[in-house]
Amino acid sequence: MRVAVDAQGGDNAPAAIVQGALQAASADLEVLLVGRGAEIEPLVGGAAHVRLVEAPDVISGGEEPTNAVRSKPDSSMVVATRLVAQGEADAVFSAGNTGAFLAAGLLSVRRLPGVLRPAICQVLPSLPRPTLLLDVGANAEVKPEHLRQFAHMGSAFASEVLGVREPVVGLLSIGEEPGKGTPQVVAAHALLAADPGLRFYGNVEGRDLLSSVVDVVVTDGFSGNVALKTAEGAAHAVMGLVKQAVGTSWRAKLGGLLLKPDLLRVRAAVDPEEYGAAHLLGMRRPVLVGHGSSGARGVENAVRFAGLAVRSGLVEAIARCLGL
Amino acid sequence: MRVAVDAQGGDNAPAAIVQGALQAASADLEVLLVGRGAEIEPLVGGAAHVRLVEAPDVISGGEEPTNAVRSKPDSSMVVATRLVAQGEADAVFSAGNTGAFLAAGLLSVRRLPGVLRPAICQVLPSLPRPTLLLDVGANAEVKPEHLRQFAHMGSAFASEVLGVREPVVGLLSIGEEPGKGTPQVVAAHALLAADPGLRFYGNVEGRDLLSSVVDVVVTDGFSGNVALKTAEGAAHAVMGLVKQAVGTSWRAKLGGLLLKPDLLRVRAAVDPEEYGAAHLLGMRRPVLVGHGSSGARGVENAVRFAGLAVRSGLVEAIARCLGL
């Protein structure tokens, strides 16, 4: 299997991207590192299971997505997606300009036929079981039928990639009752409830996202993005308060020292790098969207996650679920 | 000053409501406890600065708001809002059925003339300074002009009640650039940026809600409610993980014991009861909306918060800001 990696995308590119890719590469998973050979080759240093693919251009974070993709066909991001389109790679990962990556993916990897809107699906580190949230930003506005497709795609992801048996789907709203939320959400509730192919729980609220009430939560890309970033911000703020508390006195410092390994485990559990990347679901091949701030550990996990998606037959399962 | 309190509203009514009200009552702040005298009187036990107002009916959590308010004019919630309308109380608090309380408030306390949509404003315990988030649930959908009014109302609240000089306003979106978000959010960005009466920062994201980037964040009631409940859920989940970590070994238990007072401070800092209630802004008198799960500490803080709103001249400041 081969995973194409945009070596120039993200705040820590190319060093952290290359390092993470090397850590994930194995005999079963060849990494195609796409970027400027002169910059990347010294970082690779002849490591095994890694191949360089030259791409002289780079799309930066601030560029307008569609223009950037059109005007830079030789950028690392566009070349990486093209490798998938041409069958030279089985999946693609980038931590660069998200809008541009979505545009490049739509243009060359392309949607599965019948998929109305691809959606970005994020694994939330809820306990005891992870929860999938989609869409977290590909579509600021959605129609009820889009949410129904998201429910099927998320269910397929939960069962095929995460091994959840009979995943349960919730609809994000602002109250448990079917009548709560915007008219679109209320209409979506009725549509989801009437679909015999789904195990629909009903509405869930923001507080349920991290408590494993359901396996999959569907929402529009605006609310989903707000929820995801709010959860990350809140977890970060609380860990910051705990860290601060540990420094307040000699007693607290000693307590903190004794607790350190346990607190590090907590931090790792809520770390966005744990899953490394979100999946753009509804495409013909796995497309993995990394955080701009991805470090080597995040990239390593993302590339492995891409491999898992390919091996699990995620794309075929989504096509089946949607009856395509 | 007199604050009307719905003694029968909320999961822990009437005991926790009465207890919190008694703790907040003082020579400067008389509490009018509205509810079933037979239940409430024994709990009050002749305490000073508290007066009972009989209301035989109760609106429960599951009732349809408008019907409930119309059909139960003698419910504790409706009587409490009527006390404000009749000038017998200066502010009103309920932890009961939120939808019904909004309906009752709109019906008898009424909007300030010119206010298009009242909004629920929540104080988020961000550090180093709190952040106001509105709307968190009164209006699932809003127009750009509504968001502009929310910005003015939130600014007035920040300066008059929290003492923030020249409060800065952000617009919740899914990216920093003015073009990010739904068409409504993009239009609102332009409207806020063009208003000389506001100090507009630009777009903020979910992760900025708890890091004091701005003083006031405006959004629609759907996204605001999702963000608020997600932040509460994430903080709760992380504190749960920390608590769990403290029990894993003898070393961790000892560390936890040493850190206990500091961790309790962290928990208090992220406790939704810290501010006790959200304010429904845009009304003729302060209307305070409590969490259904409010305990005595939350109610005490909410009643004090109501008193602060009255003393600070919040309503008059909002009318001034909106040019009414």
Side-chain angles (χ1 to χ4, degrees), chain A residues 127 141 172 174 183 205-207 209-210 222-223 225 227 229-230 234 238-239 241 245 248 251-252 255 258-259 261-262, chain B residues 127 141 172 174 183 205-207 209-210 222-223 225 227 229-230 234 238-239 241 248 251-252 255 258-259 261-262:
Chain A
L127 287 173
E141 293 182 298
L172 189 62
I174 60 175
E205 300 187 71
R207 67 170 66 92
L209 291 174
L210 291 173
F222 191 89
S223 304
N225 189 277
K229 288 176 179 165
T230 301
V238 174
M239 286 310 291
L241 286 176
T248 47
R251 182 183 41 66
L258 289 165
L259 264 182
D262 306 284
Chain B
L127 288 173
E141 294 182 298
L172 189 62
I174 60 176
E205 300 187 72
R207 68 170 65 92
L209 290 174
L210 290 173
F222 191 90
S223 304
N225 189 276
K229 288 176 179 165
T230 301
V238 174
M239 286 309 289
L241 286 176
T248 47
R251 182 185 39 69
L258 289 164
L259 264 181
D262 307 282

Side-chain angles (χ1 to χ4, degrees), chain A residues 261-287:
Chain A
D262 306 284
L263 292 178
L264 287 175
R265 257 207 312 280
V266 173
R267 202 179 64 186
V270 298
D271 182 358
E273 305 238 314
E274 182 69 16
Y275 290 95
H279 283 251
L280 182 65
L281 298 184
M283 309 297 287
R284 288 168 188 260
R285 293 280 177 276
V287 173

Side-chain angles (χ1 to χ4, degrees), chain A residues 228-248:
Chain A
L228 174 63
K229 288 176 179 165
T230 301
E232 285 177 8
H236 183 78
V238 174
M239 286 310 291
L241 286 176
V242 171
K243 199 175 163 188
Q244 214 176 348
V246 166
T248 47

Side-chain angles (χ1 to χ4, degrees), chain B residues 204-311:
Chain B
V204 296
E205 300 187 72
R207 68 170 65 92
D208 304 319
L209 290 174
L210 290 173
S211 56
S212 306
V213 170
V214 294
D215 302 295
V216 178
V217 175
V218 294
T219 187
D220 65 88
F222 191 90
S223 304
N225 189 276
V226 165
L228 173 63
K229 288 176 179 165
T230 301
E232 285 178 8
H236 184 78
V238 174
M239 286 309 289
L241 286 176
V242 170
K243 200 175 160 189
Q244 215 177 347
V246 165
T248 47
S249 66
W250 282 105
R251 182 185 39 69
K253 275 181 190 159
L254 178 58
L257 207 62
L258 289 164
L259 264 181
K260 196 169 182 184
D262 307 282
L263 292 179
L264 286 176
R265 258 205 315 279
V266 173
R267 202 179 62 185
V270 299
D271 183 357
E273 304 240 314
E274 182 69 17
Y275 289 96
H279 284 251
L280 182 66
L281 298 184
M283 309 298 287
R284 286 168 190 261
R285 292 282 176 273
V287 173
L288 285 95
V289 185
H291 229 283
S293 63
S294 292
R297 180 172 168 257
V299 174
E300 177 187 352
N301 288 338
V303 173
R304 292 221 169 99
F305 208 9
L308 185 60
V310 174
R311 268 195 303 277

